[in-house]
Amino acid sequence: LIECLIVPSESLDVEVELSEAAHLHWLLSLTLVARAARPALVACLGRSVGASRGAVARASAVQALSAVAEENDSEVVALLTSYVDDESAVVRKAVVSGLAAVASLYDGRAEEAVRRCLHDSADDVVQAALRTAPLVCKLGSPRMIKAVSSCLTAENWMTRKMALATIGIIAPPGDSSAPGVLAVSLEDTNTWVRVAAIDGIAKVAERGDAAALALVAARLDDRAWNVRAAALGAISSLALAGDEHAAKMVASQLEDEYPSVRIAALEALSDVWPRWDRSILKLVLMRVHQDPDSDVRVEAIEALVHSSFVGDEEIIEALRTCEREDREAEVRSAAESVVERL
């Protein structure tokens, strides 16, 4: 049946049929119920890759081969990597995606093929390579990090965003050089790329890293609200508990015009709030009483749980007032719950 479906042809109709056939679930089902069929399927599909003249047919054969081959099949990995320079971007994408399923971690051939695809002229191929990179390379691989970093200047914003996420995965935690690499994208023209850069720095830097903390804190003045919110989340991850300077930076965002940023600030305060600082307590209580957004008022109430002012009469009285007078039932319920815990 495979021999009939996967045949070399220049006919568009046959290529379309082949593309559909390569995605049929019966390929995998057959290997599950008749495991002895797998070697024959792999051999047949392997031959079809080279025998197919059309790009769609070759790509479909690669996809099918990747689906049925055993992981770490050296012959299949060798076959796939031999097509990494195929003239068709459709085939190159199928190859690098297939390596994610077939190649094992630290496979040198697969890693080299992925690095080549990271310099591809087609965005789809590069993005597929970015998805595959963490699955085949060694953690902290300098060559892979360098290759991925080259994508940070790509014209396509999604490629830049994905490159940042990939560096966050393959760079080892505490890598002192990684935040500097990611920092280049903090000034990117695209909002979501800047968010990804902040998230990446928070992921690879260690808590207490002053340089990394300064990088993300600088984005608290970003024109985009979601970047400011991401910066607050990063400060929460990087600042040491009780860091007064970090707490003041976070508290300054409690007046932000966007409710989501104010919520992010309250969440961050729970991690960095110096428990002895009642000036911040007053700012949080102001959110409880005066914030126009009910979700912010609820978050401010929850923040008081982490303040460690257990039994504090000022807090309890403020919450009881909120419990009686707030116009939203959700806020009144939150206040009642927190009073019980305090």
Side-chain angles (χ1 to χ4, degrees), residues 1 13 17 32-33 35 52 70 87 97 121 134 141 145 162 216 224 250 273 280 303 305 317 327:
L1 182 58
D13 292 337
E17 181 182 355
L32 292 175
V33 299
R35 298 192 65 83
S52 301
E70 295 277 11
E87 62 183 15
S97 298
S121 58
S141 169
I145 292 176
M162 291 178 64
V216 299
V250 171
W273 188 347
I280 293 180
V305 176
E317 182 56 34
R327 59 186 178 277

Side-chain angles (χ1 to χ4, degrees), residues 2 6-8 43-53 57-58 60-62:
I2 292 287
I6 302 181
V7 294
C44 178
L45 289 165
R47 290 194 301 271
S48 72
V49 175
S52 301
R53 300 175 190 174
R58 290 198 305 281
S60 296
V62 166

